[in-house]
Amino acid sequence: MLPKNINAFYKLLLRKYTIIPYKMSYPLVCLGNPLLDVQANVEPEYLAKYDLKSNDAILIEDAKSDVRMKIFDELVEKKDTIFVAGGAAQNTARGAAFELGPNKVAYFGCVGEDKFSQQLLQENEKAGVKSLYLINKEIGTGKCAALINGHDRSLVTDLGAANHFKPEHLDENWEYVKNAKAFYIGGFHLTVSPAAIVKLGKHAQENNKPFVINFSAPFIPQFFKDALVQVLPYATHIIANETEAAAFSESFYSGENITDLKEIAKKIIADYNQKATVIFTHGLEPTVLVNSDLSTKEISVHALDSSKIVDTNGAGDAFAGGFVAGIILDEDIEKCIDRGQALAKISIQQVGPSFPVK
């Protein structure tokens, strides 16, 4: 029989049981540079107003003085503007969430305390991604304006707060790290905080957790060699496309003229991490898989009629999203690659690095 006094009832429970507060755990934790992609249709006159060219990309170096910073405020006011939680690793996080469902993916990065970070939070929430942002109160959120004119686009990027992530933010949220099953690192973060990547890598290595690193861009192996060498020993899986693989070969093996993707992968494994698996995507060509024992395999991509391709931007991020989702689901390596290819096929039928609403 229950006590008449409800407080006495709770005291009885506390005497008999230890009540542990529930803590949400996220199997996949991603780390990267968050950017809000702001995409809108514009007329040629708008490009001319800011001295921009079609099919070009501009990186704003001084946000305080560059007049093109006004573009972001103007696009926010346009009714047809599309907002996407961008940045390569954040695209991958959303792709993995598309595969795994909500409350399965958490994402670390640095943003400003402004309306753009609020938009990022909303986009991630809709995608089912937990945002574990470090908030920088002095520097604005990184953002990329995609100005669409017909089939052409002009990109204007302000990296902003994304460049200011601190490893200490991981310490402050270490519960998420401890509860994670696997980690994904976008290569662009090598330009920001290699120490944060190493911190996660050591935890993954000590606890036998998958640790996936993506080269993300050719300039990473070209100009951030030391940072890349620091983190490669922790990788269980290394992802890159054919251009990034070629850049690695040219940068690390200059003069040897190694162009075959399988041979480049074997060199990476032999010289930098003998326990890693390397995956090189190659556009419509088969994906190259080289295992840690140096065995190789080619896996065909999913066919898609060219008339159905809307936007290939972010296809590599989508592949990585499907791949790491497969890791979380304990699928074998070939199934993980197949899942990545399937998600990339879905993504390129959407506008921007995005996925259909379920």
Side-chain angles (χ1 to χ4, degrees), residues 109-322:
C110 185
V111 297
E113 190 176 43
D114 51 32
K115 59 188 175 185
F116 299 108
S117 62
Q118 290 301 312
Q119 188 69 47
L120 272 183
L121 285 166
Q122 292 174 21
E123 293 297 313
N124 276 354
E125 185 177 356
K126 286 192 294 185
V129 175
K130 173 69 173 180
S131 301
L132 297 172
Y133 291 142
L134 170 63
I135 307 298
N136 189 311
K137 296 185 178 182
E138 298 179 359
I139 302 173
T141 298
K143 45 203 173 288
C144 176
L147 308 174
I148 311 300
N149 179 239
H151 292 293
D152 296 336
R153 67 179 58 220
S154 183
L155 302 179
V156 180
T157 301
D158 167 36
L159 291 176
N163 271 334
H164 298 273
F165 186 84
K166 305 297 181 186
E168 292 77 17
H169 189 62
L170 296 175
D171 298 327
E172 295 167 4
N173 295 275
W174 198 249
E175 200 70 26
Y176 292 96
V177 175
K178 289 197 302 182
N179 291 336
K181 183 178 178 180
F183 302 91
Y184 175 83
I185 310 298
F188 290 115
H189 202 73
L190 286 165
T191 71
V192 176
S193 181
I197 301 175
V198 169
K199 181 182 285 288
L200 288 180
K202 287 182 177 179
H203 168 81
Q205 195 172 76
E206 291 167 359
N207 293 275
N208 197 31
K209 298 179 180 180
F211 193 73
V212 184
I213 294 176
N214 196 325
F215 285 177
S216 294
F219 76 81
I220 296 298
Q222 288 173 334
F223 303 112
F224 293 88
K225 292 175 64 174
D226 292 343
L228 190 55
V229 169
Q230 283 184 56
V231 304
L232 282 178
Y234 301 103
T236 57
H237 303 80
I238 298 167
I239 299 175
N241 64 27
E242 77 282 6
T243 305
E244 295 152 7
F248 185 97
S249 179
E250 292 170 5
S251 178
F252 283 74
Y253 303 110
S254 177
E256 295 186 38
N257 195 30
I258 305 172
T259 58
D260 182 80
L261 292 180
K262 294 177 183 177
E263 294 306 312
I264 296 172
K266 288 179 181 179
K267 289 285 286 182
I268 292 174
I269 294 170
D271 294 345
Y272 295 99
N273 188 334
Q274 297 178 15
K275 296 181 179 180
T277 297
V278 176
I279 303 97
F280 286 154
T281 59
H282 193 187
L284 297 177
E285 299 296 319
T287 297
V288 172
L289 166 65
V290 180
N291 295 298
S292 57
D293 62 1
L294 302 185
S295 61
T296 67
K297 190 164 187 176
E298 294 185 356
I299 301 171
S300 298
V301 301
H302 289 227
L304 177 65
D305 189 278
S306 60
S307 64
K308 295 183 179 180
I309 298 176
V310 175
D311 190 348
T312 58
N313 182 31
D317 302 332
F319 172 85

